[in-house]
Amino acid sequence: MIGRGRRQSPERGVPPPPLLPPPPPRRCPRPFSALLPVPPPSAPAMARVQGARGLLAAATVLGFLQVSCSFELKDSSGKACIIADLTVAFSVEYKSNGQKEFANFFLPQNAAVEPQSSCGKANTSHPILILGFGAGHSLSLNFTENADKYQVEEVVFHYNLSDATLFHNSTTGEVKKASHKTTIQAHVGTKYRCISFKHVNMKNVNITFSNVTLEAYLTNGTFSTNMTECAEDMPSTTAVVPTTPKQTTSQVPVTSPAPTALPPNPTVGKYNVTGVNGTCVLAYMGLQLNITYLKKDEKMGLDLLNFIPHNTTSSGRCDNTSATLNLTFEKTSVIFHFTLNATAEKFFLQGVSVSTTLPSEAKVPQFEASNNSMSELRATVGNSYKCSAEENLQVTDKALVNVFNVQIQVFKIDGDKFGAVEECQLDENNMLIPIIVGAALAGLVLIVLIAYLIGRKRSHAGYQTI
């Protein structure tokens, strides 16, 4: 780890079509709950409520708990090169008759390894595991390796909106693609393990991984004995915070062979912008910048920077239909561009601009990037947008702005206080999963109780009064 809590990321590459013969399908081993589609709601406001009821009802009736599915990808000699055991939950936003709806479902029991999956070839292509399910849906895990580590470089999700089983009355019937970089990584020769929820937030799609055990670049065809544990499962004491006054990010222990831990979440700061009519932007959030860059030795590096609130200056401007929030920390600046949709009476984040100075090892030390085609952090004017989960705002394929515990309100702000809260879909998904688990466990207890009562009644029937 060098400088501001930086660490190297694996080299990138998109694998060409595999030359290996198609591997045999690998399916979930047990017939637990498969797709749990949400009943079609009548209005966007009811989508989240009915989604929760649909999933809860399905779990209660079945009395089952969604378990991990196991997948194996084998090379031409029949030896496993990737093994993955994981639970995946999807939440997809789509349009139905002009209204916003949500489809919530799990990776189903009939998911199978697709023939396009590949073990990769040295110096030419990287491993890729593609899991196909339903009517044209697929989840891809693209792996890369660098030095003594491997990682899921990117998650790619293709979903078919013409699938009426999941996307009721979808306005369009096209196949859409969502992709995002991940922080799933482990030491080579160890299996990656993460019981905690790990969210991958993309435009219109949220994917939640849990109970994950996976390993790529296998040498003996089975899981390794040694394990790299994810940061979310580790006690908070595993991340060491420097005590120097001019902290920029938390340092990560580099003692080998200790598991890799990401820096802790950034501290939440309070920022505001004042206009002619008073406060026009009010924001609480922890802010982290994630930059992938090319080093002088032609390898890829990763710069993670946590903004420190008391060392961060805020400025901006606003008018009737737009507002900007400019946050500057040391030599790094992040500008948020907000816009008002007067017809829908909604405000949203339309763009983000980033400017920073990279470490001296970077081939190009000055980095600038922007994205002005976003539609994030959306809420009704007069209300505030709130999300406790981490959200990843993708500026480019090399730049992410990660926000934590965000609450933000733009334009109509009374008394420098937040209005009514509109929660993000990620937080609602986090509430759904414990409800499903609780309902499933309650169903199992009920079944055991009924079986006990029936058995007791039958045993009494075998006795006669003397």
Side-chain angles (χ1 to χ4, degrees):
M1 200 64 52
I2 303 173
R4 303 182 297 174
R6 301 182 175 90
R7 59 184 176 86
Q8 293 183 359
S9 67
E11 299 179 31
R12 298 169 178 269
V14 179
L19 301 177
L20 301 176
R26 177 75 176 180
R27 303 181 185 276
C28 298
R30 302 177 64 187
F32 278 60
S33 57
L35 298 180
L36 299 180
V38 178
S42 57
M46 294 298 294
R48 295 182 288 271
V49 177
Q50 293 194 357
R53 289 175 179 171
L55 287 170
L56 176 59
T60 304
V61 171
L62 291 174
F64 289 142
L65 178 63
Q66 177 74 15
V67 296
S68 296
C69 292
S70 296
F71 303 95
E72 256 184 24
L73 176 63
K74 297 181 178 181
D75 59 22
S76 55
S77 66
K79 192 175 181 180
C81 61
I82 300 174
I83 303 178
D85 187 13
L86 71 174
T87 299
V88 188
F90 301 87
S91 179
V92 182
E93 178 185 330
Y94 68 101
K95 293 290 185 180
S96 175
N97 299 322
Q99 302 293 329
K100 182 171 70 173
E101 307 289 2
F102 291 94
N104 300 299
F105 50 93
F106 288 107
L107 184 68
Q109 66 177 21
N110 61 348
V113 176
E114 291 290 325
Q116 295 82 8
S117 301
S118 170
C119 291
K121 288 192 174 182
N123 302 321
T124 59
S125 65
H126 297 293
I128 178 172
L129 177 64
I130 305 176
L131 307 177
F133 62 96
H137 315 295
S138 68
L139 176 67
S140 303
L141 306 180
N142 299 339
F143 293 87
T144 57
E145 181 185 24
N146 184 28
D148 63 338
K149 295 178 184 177
Y150 68 91
Q151 78 170 39
V152 180
E153 174 79 7
E154 186 177 35
V155 171
V156 182
F157 178 46
H158 289 89
Y159 56 102
N160 182 11
L161 290 175
S162 64
D163 182 3
T165 306
L166 296 177
F167 306 104
H168 307 282
N169 300 319
S170 174
T171 303
T172 62
E174 57 187 326
V175 175
K176 290 201 169 186
K177 172 186 175 182
S179 61
H180 207 290
K181 308 296 180 183
T182 81
T183 56
I184 298 174
Q185 67 170 346
H187 291 278
V188 173
T190 70
K191 59 188 175 185
Y192 171 87
R193 178 67 172 147
C194 194
I195 299 173
S196 303
F197 298 134
K198 183 175 282 289
H199 304 288
V200 180
N201 183 23
M202 299 172 273
K203 185 175 182 180
N204 299 326
V205 175
N206 295 322
I207 300 178
T208 302
F209 293 91
S210 60
N211 292 319
V212 176
T213 304
L214 65 81
E215 186 173 354
Y217 301 96
L218 291 169
T219 56
N220 57 4
T222 60
F223 275 132
S224 300
T225 304
N226 295 327
M227 177 177 67
T228 297
E229 191 176 9
C230 69
E232 290 82 355
D233 287 355
M234 292 181 182
S236 59
T237 55
T238 57
V240 179
V241 181
T243 56
T244 53
K246 293 194 68 176
Q247 175 196 7
T248 54
T249 63
S250 300
Q251 299 293 328
V252 181
V254 295
T255 303
S256 180
T260 301
L262 295 178
N265 292 350
T267 304
V268 174
K270 179 181 179 181
Y271 311 103
N272 64 75
V273 176
T274 302
V276 178
N277 299 320
T279 302
C280 56
V281 178
L282 183 61
Y284 287 1
M285 62 180 167
L287 188 61
Q288 182 184 80
L289 188 62
N290 183 328
I291 304 293
T292 303
Y293 61 92
L294 184 65
K295 298 192 294 185
K296 294 175 182 177
D297 60 4
E298 301 300 324
K299 295 182 179 180
M300 301 304 295
L302 180 64
D303 184 25
L304 291 176
L305 173 65
N306 284 355
F307 275 52
I308 309 301
H310 65 265
N311 292 335
T312 300
T313 60
S314 63
S315 60
R317 62 169 186 81
C318 52
D319 54 36
N320 293 333
T321 59
S322 65
T324 61
L325 172 62
N326 186 348
L327 301 179
T328 302
F329 173 62
E330 296 185 342
K331 297 180 180 181
T332 301
S333 173
V334 176
I335 304 176
F336 298 89
H337 303 269
F338 296 93
T339 299
L340 171 67
N341 184 332
T343 303
E345 295 186 345
K346 301 270 188 181
F347 71 84
F348 62 94
L349 178 66
Q350 186 182 47
V352 175
S353 300
V354 173
S355 175
T356 189
T357 300
L358 296 172
S360 58
E361 64 182 6
K363 193 171 184 178
V364 180
Q366 193 62 33
F367 181 89
E368 294 184 358
S370 62
N371 181 356
N372 295 310
S373 59
M374 295 182 173
S375 182
E376 311 291 343
L377 314 184
R378 180 184 295 268
T380 304
V381 174
N383 294 349
S384 63
Y385 174 91
K386 186 175 182 179
C387 196
S388 299
E390 174 187 353
E391 291 197 83
N392 309 120
L393 307 175
Q394 187 161 7
V395 183
T396 67
D397 62 341
K398 294 181 176 59
L400 291 175
V401 174
N402 305 324
V403 291
F404 300 77
N405 295 307
V406 62
Q407 185 171 9
I408 194 163
Q409 187 168 339
V410 186
F411 301 117
K412 188 179 179 181
I413 302 173
D414 294 330
D416 292 336
K417 294 182 179 180
F418 288 114
V421 171
E422 295 185 19
E423 292 192 11
C424 67
Q425 184 66 21
L426 277 174
D427 285 354
E428 291 169 358
N429 290 346
N430 288 344
M431 294 177 63
L432 284 179
I433 295 175
I435 290 174
I436 295 171
V437 173
L441 293 176
L444 290 173
V445 170
L446 182 60
I447 291 172
V448 172
L449 180 60
I450 293 173
Y452 168 75
L453 293 175
I454 293 174
R456 185 176 180 183
K457 184 177 179 181
R458 287 180 177 174
S459 64
H460 277 277
Y463 296 93
Q464 296 181 359
T465 302
I466 298 176

